[in-house]
Amino acid sequence: MRKEALIVSACLLGESCRYDGGAKRCEAAIALASRYELVPVCPEILGGMPVPRTPAEIRGDRVVSADGEDRTEKFLLGAGRTLALARATGAVKALLKSGSPSCGHGLVHDGSFSGGMKPGDGVTAALLLANGIAVYTELDMAGL
Ligand code: SF4
């Protein structure tokens, strides 16, 4: 029987797609390949952003980079493309990287670039949730 599709933040699977050129490899995420068809996604790359890139955080209803660039449209583009991929693969769940302005769920950086956090969802996580896709992070995988 075909395995259920699961959207996964590519950096959790070891892909070097983070703003600093690194990854956040998570063995527990990789191990889910035994039960799911993993669909690696980096919304920021799908939004046309390069690796490496200046970090960005959510400030109000915008996403801004540390050097003052408004990246909101790129983040929305990446979120939309991630949702399209979920639709195309039939995925109804996503395992996303915590804290990210794209992928974070429940808590994101507070827009001050000082390491502070605030309640909220990343742009992609919010769009997936609004479209009925269950979102998990590597910090809380209960239910996967
Ligand atoms: Fe990882 Fe998501 Fe950031 Fe891409 S956008 S590097 S998948 S946390």
Side-chain angles (χ1 to χ4, degrees):
M1 200 176 77
R2 199 162 160 246
K3 287 187 275 190
E4 179 183 345
L6 176 69
I7 296 286
V8 184
S9 291
C11 58
L12 292 177
L13 299 178
E15 287 192 26
S16 299
C17 50
R18 298 187 78 228
Y19 72 93
D20 59 2
K24 280 286 181 181
R25 185 181 168 91
C26 170
E27 298 305 328
I30 292 166
L32 288 172
S34 64
R35 291 189 285 118
Y36 292 93
E37 190 66 44
L38 303 185
V39 181
V41 174
C42 177
E44 293 180 25
I45 289 181
L46 288 179
M49 287 168 269
V51 179
R53 54 191 175 276
T54 314
E57 296 192 359
I58 296 173
R59 194 178 285 162
D61 63 354
R62 313 303 294 173
V63 184
V64 295
S65 69
D67 54 6
E69 182 193 347
D70 187 328
R71 295 212 185 130
T72 310
E73 297 308 318
K74 290 177 178 171
F75 272 65
L76 288 170
L77 176 63
R81 286 177 169 168
T82 302
L83 177 60
L85 201 53
R87 293 277 189 256
T89 58
V92 294
K93 298 176 185 173
L95 171 61
L96 302 181
K97 171 73 184 71
S98 63
S100 155
S102 288
C103 296
H105 176 41
L107 269 185
V108 291
H109 288 282
D110 65 7
S112 66
F113 296 96
S114 61
M117 305 296 285
K118 64 181 177 184
D121 295 318
V123 176
T124 292
L127 185 66
L128 295 183
L129 287 164
N131 283 275
I133 294 172
V135 172
Y136 303 81
T137 74
E138 81 284 9
L139 302 180
D140 185 4
M141 294 171 53
L144 284 177

